[in-house]
């Protein structure tokens, strides 16, 4: 038997979570270093997965398959395509930065600390982060529908405790009010995602009744060769059950309202974990499960989904413009960005789906950069309100500069990584739905508005007295943000290594839905 590389990549952070949680209470620093070392080791394994993956080879590679629940045809079945490899690499890359950025977020605090803060178990904080990493990586690898569903739901548990138990310390008001806000955000996150998961469970059971097994590859092959023929109504209902759960996770308007609360009340590193890592499971699953298992239903639902994606793009950006809270602004910007990703997926063009996959990766990096720098800023002032800042660039120029680069990446400035993905999404959408492509460009204009206004109000102008003694970025913080900025620049000018991995998987997906790219209308262009 070959070495189970995919299992090892997901199991290592799970083992790290157990080991970290078992560290004695007085050894907080040791727990932090253990968590960081396990996350770095996981990144090494993810890099090996990436190197061993052959873009021109089989659709699913490094396959592992073992019987699990034989009576119900459930298997422990893993395999990765180019899209899965890219997102595993993203997850393994970001977690060490999340741990470093949150190095002191779970430290014990004195009773006279800022309102809303309280003692928090350090070991548990980092163990929960590693457990989320393990579940997310395994969800990107799972090719058994039931196994994926278990992971899809199980990752909600550690996220619930990370949001509700380790909330943001920069909270105005009493301890009781801060705790209530954290609890509300955590419960809302859990209820929304559980509701989506319950509907998906009904669809998973329905799929088993129709197909007789849970194997993604077997069901897809049976659908392709005609040996599994679903009634039109059945396929559409099953598609809607899966898509609803993924749209909640993504999140897509109007199922998005849990995200601003969760990101606002979570610490900045946990907010990154939510939007840059966990939410990607939703958009990934749309590509892997919705399009592959239900191709005809996906095409039937495409016009409605494109409309919802456009609303997410414009609505999220408009609300970001009007925000007074830095973290909620980033949350609404992410809703807008997820609209672009979903629009690219359901444009049913190779450019759109390649752009959507690149967008998942690039959004993860750019949002991590912006949110983590915002977290460093908020930790210095003790406030999330934009109005409490001003003139920061004069007292902390490096912090202001990195904040600007993160913001420019968020608005997809040419030369930075998100520009490539957003451009491909718009080109792919315009090729099949030109009106939708034109409307979506308003999201770019609004992104420039909310990003530049945020920078102007916090970083420029007279220096406010409360920020006059604000220190610049420390070495640990520079170690977090510098590699992220380097990646934004590198993938902005040279995205080829990523596109080479992703494009073959996109061609397979286009084949699943029996779609070809529209031919350019040469006569109309003359």
């Amino acid at each position: 038997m070959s070495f189970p590389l995919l299992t090892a990549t997901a199991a290592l952070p799970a083992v790290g979570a157990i080991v970290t949680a078992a560290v004695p209470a007085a050894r907080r620093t040791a727990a932090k270093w253990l968590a960081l070392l396990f996350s770095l080791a996981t990144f090494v394994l993810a890099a090996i997965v990436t190197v061993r993956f052959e873009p021109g080879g089989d659709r699913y590679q490094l396959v592992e398959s073992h019987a699990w629940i034989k009576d119900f045809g459930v298997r422990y079945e893993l395999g990765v395509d180019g899209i899965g490899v890219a997102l595993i690499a993203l997850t393994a890359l970001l977690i060490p930065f999340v741990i470093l950025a949150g190095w002191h977020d779970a430290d014990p605090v004195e009773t006279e600390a800022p309102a809303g803060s309280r003692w928090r178990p350090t070991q548990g904080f980092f163990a929960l982060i590693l457990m989320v990493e393990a579940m997310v990586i395994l969800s990107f690898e799972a090719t058994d529908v039931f196994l994926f569903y278990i992971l899809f739901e199980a990752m909600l548990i550690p996220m619930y405790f990370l949001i509700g138990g380790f909330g943001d310390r920069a909270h105005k008001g009493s301890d009781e009010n801060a705790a209530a806000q954290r609890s509300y955000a955590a419960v809302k996150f859990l209820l929304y995602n559980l509701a989506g998961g319950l509907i998906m469970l009904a669809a998973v059971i329905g799929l088993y009744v129709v197909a007789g097994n849970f194997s993604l590859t077997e069901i897809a092959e049976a659908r392709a060769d005609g040996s599994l023929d679903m009634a039109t109504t059945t396929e559409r209902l099953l598609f809607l059950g899966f898509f609803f759960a993924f749209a909640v996770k993504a999140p897509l308007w109007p199922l998005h309202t849990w995200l601003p609360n969760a990101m606002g009340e979570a610490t900045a590193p946990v907010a990154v974990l939510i939007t840059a890592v966990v939410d990607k499971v939703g958009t990934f699953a749309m590509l892997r499960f919705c399009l592959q298992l239900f191709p005809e239903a996906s095409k039937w639902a495409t016009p409605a989904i494109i409309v919802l994606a456009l609303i997410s793009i414009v609505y999220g950006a408009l609300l970001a413009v009007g925000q007074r809270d830095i973290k909620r602004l980033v949350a609404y910007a992410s809703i807008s960005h997820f609209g672009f990703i979903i629009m690219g997926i359901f444009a049913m063009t190779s450019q759109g789906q390649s752009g959507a996959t690149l967008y998942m990766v690039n959004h993860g990096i750019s949002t991590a950069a912006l949110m983590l720098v915002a977290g460093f800023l908020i930790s210095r002032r003790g406030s999330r309100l934009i109005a409490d800042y001003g003139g920061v660039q004069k007292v902390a120029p490096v912090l202001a500069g990195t904040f600007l680069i993160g913001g420019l990446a968020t608005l997809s400035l040419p030369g930075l990584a998100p520009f490539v993905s957003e451009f491909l999404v718009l080109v792919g959408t315009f090729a099949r739905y030109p009106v939708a492509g034109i409307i979506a460009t308003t999201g770019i204009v609004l992104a420039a508005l909310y990003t530049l206004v945020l920078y102007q109000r916090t970083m420029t102008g007279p220096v406010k007295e409360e920020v006059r003694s604000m220190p610049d970025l420390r070495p640990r913080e520079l170690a977090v943000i510098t590699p992220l900025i380097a990646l934004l620049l590198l993938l902005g000018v040279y995205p080829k290594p990523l596109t080479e991995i992703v494009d073959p998987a996109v061609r397979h997906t286009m084949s699943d839905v029996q779609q070809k790219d529209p031919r350019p209308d040469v006569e109309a262009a003359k």
Side-chain angles (χ1 to χ4, degrees), residues 226 230 235 267 303 323 366 392 474 478:
M230 291 186 193
E235 180 178 351
T267 63
Q323 289 304 304
S366 62
V392 173
R474 302 178 178 93
L478 284 171

Side-chain angles (χ1 to χ4, degrees), residues 275-473:
T275 191
V277 176
V278 173
D279 287 354
K280 298 301 187 298
V281 177
T283 47
F284 163 80
M286 291 178 189
L287 278 166
R288 172 165 282 190
F289 295 99
C290 286
L291 270 59
Q292 196 169 339
L293 294 175
F294 316 110
E296 294 304 319
S298 296
K299 290 185 283 187
W300 162 75
T302 287
I305 295 172
I306 292 291
V307 170
L308 294 177
L310 286 174
I311 295 174
S312 287
I313 291 169
V314 178
Y315 175 83
L318 282 172
L319 288 187
V321 171
Q323 289 304 304
R324 296 181 297 172
D325 184 309
I326 297 173
K327 291 167 72 177
R328 290 179 69 91
L329 184 151
V330 178
Y332 280 109
S334 290
I335 292 169
S336 181
H337 295 151
F338 275 103
F340 277 105
I341 294 170
I342 295 170
M343 185 177 70
I345 292 171
F346 285 90
M348 301 294 182
T349 60
S350 58
Q351 299 99 326
Q353 291 185 359
S354 292
T357 306
L358 292 179
Y359 215 132
M360 292 185 223
V361 176
N362 294 333
H363 170 263
I365 299 170
S366 62
T367 300
L370 180 60
M371 180 58 86
L372 292 179
V373 176
F376 299 151
L377 177 70
I378 292 168
S379 68
R380 285 158 166 75
R381 174 68 176 83
S383 172
R384 306 195 311 244
L385 298 180
I386 296 172
D388 287 343
Y389 296 87
V392 173
Q393 66 180 10
K394 296 176 182 177
V395 297
V398 178
L399 188 154
T402 53
F403 190 81
L404 177 62
I405 295 173
L408 293 176
T410 298
L411 63 83
S412 299
L413 184 77
L416 297 175
F419 170 76
V420 179
S421 45
E422 192 161 280
F423 179 77
L424 284 173
V425 166
L426 289 171
V427 168
T429 302
F430 189 84
R432 198 177 294 278
Y433 301 101
V435 175
I438 292 170
I439 295 173
T441 57
T442 60
I444 302 174
V445 177
L446 292 171
L449 180 60
Y450 63 68
T451 300
L452 296 178
V453 168
L454 172 64
Y455 184 84
Q456 179 190 41
R457 291 178 177 175
T458 55
M459 301 295 163
T460 64
V463 179
K464 290 203 171 185
E465 189 62 34
E466 294 83 359
V467 304
R468 192 171 298 278
S469 59
M470 180 179 290
D472 214 334
L473 291 183

